[in-house]
Amino acid sequence: MKTCGAFFGTTKVIPVETVEEILETHYEMANRFRIGFWSIAHPIRRPEDAIEGFVRFRPVEGGAELELLYGIRREWWGKGIATAASQAALEYLWRSTHFDRVRASTDLPNVRSREVMKRLGMRWLKETDALITYALDRPTDQGKPLG
């Protein structure tokens, strides 16, 4: 089985098939809703070394809602970058789509990610033995886009 190394400082190995599924979902989201996967790039580094993180949405609940996902290299943790990139992606989402709710989940021990969700204005939705989920509704000052 072919594998890809995970990008963000983890030793987890990701099967190539999983990466292909993620990319297929990305292409579908981009084509269907004009949203997808954004990279967080370093402004000075060479292009091949510049990717520092990502923000993306993926459909949940059969496509009725979206899940916000983000990741950033460990060296950039605590600098507000994940929050700023996620805020920009959410602003684009509200202006460009008809989705009314976004959720985000993280492992229970991941306090930093939970803090990002809170700074985004997300509220606790549910918790399992392994995950905690927050949700954010479309701001009342953000009407639905025309068309």
Side-chain angles (χ1 to χ4, degrees):
M1 172 174 67
K2 288 179 124 184
T3 60
C4 296
F7 179 69
F8 294 101
T10 180
T11 57
K12 182 179 177 184
V13 175
I14 302 171
V16 168
E17 294 78 16
T18 301
V19 173
E20 289 171 349
E21 288 174 18
I22 290 168
L23 289 173
E24 187 61 37
T25 301
H26 162 69
Y27 294 135
E28 178 186 336
M29 295 297 292
N31 289 329
R32 189 169 169 200
F33 301 112
R34 298 186 329 238
I35 57 173
F37 198 105
W38 293 275
S39 62
I40 301 169
H42 192 284
I44 299 173
R45 292 187 179 165
R46 296 183 323 229
E48 61 270 18
D49 297 327
I51 304 299
E52 303 295 348
F54 71 92
V55 177
R56 74 175 281 239
F57 296 104
R58 73 173 170 198
V60 293
E61 302 294 329
E65 292 182 6
L66 295 177
E67 182 177 25
L68 171 69
L69 297 105
Y70 49 84
I72 193 158
R73 286 185 191 226
R74 186 178 304 264
E75 67 197 78
W76 297 105
W77 288 4
K79 299 185 183 336
I81 296 168
T83 302
S86 297
Q87 284 174 326
L90 286 165
E91 288 171 14
Y92 178 84
L93 179 79
W94 303 137
R95 282 193 323 268
S96 304
T97 75
H98 290 80
F99 288 99
D100 287 322
R101 177 179 259 203
V102 173
R103 61 175 70 177
S105 298
T106 192
D107 298 327
L108 284 174
N110 192 341
V111 175
R112 286 181 181 265
S113 189
R114 290 177 11 203
E115 291 302 316
V116 168
M117 293 175 205
K118 290 176 185 176
R119 283 192 295 276
L120 293 171
M122 294 183 147
R123 301 285 180 243
W124 181 91
L125 181 65
K126 65 182 178 179
E127 194 170 316
T128 67
D129 290 340
L131 292 175
I132 186 165
T133 302
Y134 287 77
L136 179 67
D137 293 322
R138 177 184 287 276
T140 55
D141 63 341
Q142 290 285 326
K144 299 217 178 178
L146 300 174

